[in-house]
Amino acid sequence: MSSRGERRVKISRDKLVGLVVALACLAFSAIGLRVNDPPEFTYVDGVRDQPVSIEQSEVTVGEVGVGTRLIRNGEMQAETEGMFVIVEVTLAVPGNRRVNLNHAQLITKRRAYDGWSGATVRAEPGFQSEEQLIFEVDPAQIDDLSLEIWAMGVVYGFYQRARIHLGITPENADRWRRNAVGRALTYELSGSMTALP
């Protein structure tokens, strides 16, 4: 009789442990799903040569160059059957927090192009920096090409993305394609940083 009682206790204890483990698994999976949810963001739209305010900073896209070869320090670094696009970006930080725009891509209505050089744009408080961002694109798909740039950390609940139109429209895209053919673009890996006036 005592052995039966001990057996019942053992079974109920096993069930209890199983229930606790199952609940823990559910909790961890719920946490994992929440962490892996895409963060929310808003777009701040702009155009070339006009500052766009995001993340307590101002981003300005200046010159845009197109070509099929990349030259650095007088030597050819790359050549493409498509088209390279170099975008000059200025980041000004008038506030008191360092800003690091570490994600950038070029987008059209149908395509997104990641950076070729992997460069980021960062500036300390009270400074502005200038960088050249390089992308390799399909010349057939450049209509309404825009730069998306943003700061993305490990934990971000909400953030802003600047989306700046480069001035390449369906009406003038053929001219950009023609200008790129056989053209060499000179670039630098690191930009400059200067104090704000």
Side-chain angles (χ1 to χ4, degrees):
M1 204 156 200
S2 63
S3 64
R4 282 184 190 166
E6 288 173 8
R7 190 173 183 197
R8 275 191 219 132
V9 170
K10 186 175 181 184
I11 290 171
S12 63
R13 193 176 297 155
D14 288 346
K15 285 182 180 178
L16 181 62
V17 169
L19 181 61
V20 170
V21 169
L23 288 173
C25 288
L26 280 173
F28 281 123
S29 66
I31 291 169
L33 286 172
R34 186 70 187 140
V35 168
N36 290 328
D37 283 348
E40 296 180 12
F41 61 88
T42 59
Y43 281 114
V44 182
D45 292 322
V47 295
R48 277 177 56 190
D49 299 318
Q50 298 294 322
V52 172
S53 296
I54 64 165
E55 306 296 341
Q56 301 176 19
S57 66
E58 290 188 344
V59 181
T60 307
V61 168
E63 291 295 316
V64 175
V66 294
T68 56
R69 292 174 298 168
L70 294 175
I71 306 294
R72 183 168 58 92
N73 298 330
E75 296 182 6
M76 189 170 76
Q77 302 295 311
E79 190 169 11
T80 180
E81 294 294 321
M83 186 167 85
F84 288 116
V85 179
I86 292 185
V87 181
E88 292 187 3
V89 178
T90 301
L91 172 65
V93 182
N96 56 9
R97 182 174 63 89
R98 180 184 188 195
V99 175
N100 182 21
L101 301 180
N102 55 5
H103 282 70
Q105 61 185 8
L106 291 185
I107 61 163
T108 69
K109 290 180 181 176
R110 298 184 187 90
R111 292 287 301 269
Y113 302 103
D114 291 329
W116 182 86
S117 60
T120 62
V121 186
R122 64 178 62 89
E124 299 293 334
F127 286 82
Q128 71 176 18
S129 66
E130 295 179 4
E131 290 283 351
Q132 293 178 314
L133 303 182
I134 304 171
F135 302 87
E136 186 176 8
V137 304
D138 176 359
Q141 297 193 50
I142 60 170
D143 294 1
D144 291 318
L145 204 59
S146 297
L147 174 71
E148 275 190 10
I149 189 165
W150 67 98
M152 186 67 180
V154 176
V155 178
Y156 254 89
F158 182 83
Y159 64 99
Q160 297 175 311
R161 287 188 183 192
R163 182 171 52 192
I164 302 168
H165 196 278
L166 301 185
I168 303 173
T169 64
E171 293 75 27
N172 67 19
D174 281 339
R175 189 177 76 228
W176 286 87
R177 284 188 273 268
R178 286 193 304 270
N179 287 344
V181 175
R183 185 172 176 207
L185 297 169
T186 302
Y187 74 99
E188 300 296 329
L189 281 181
S190 60
S192 61
M193 190 174 298
T194 56
L196 289 172

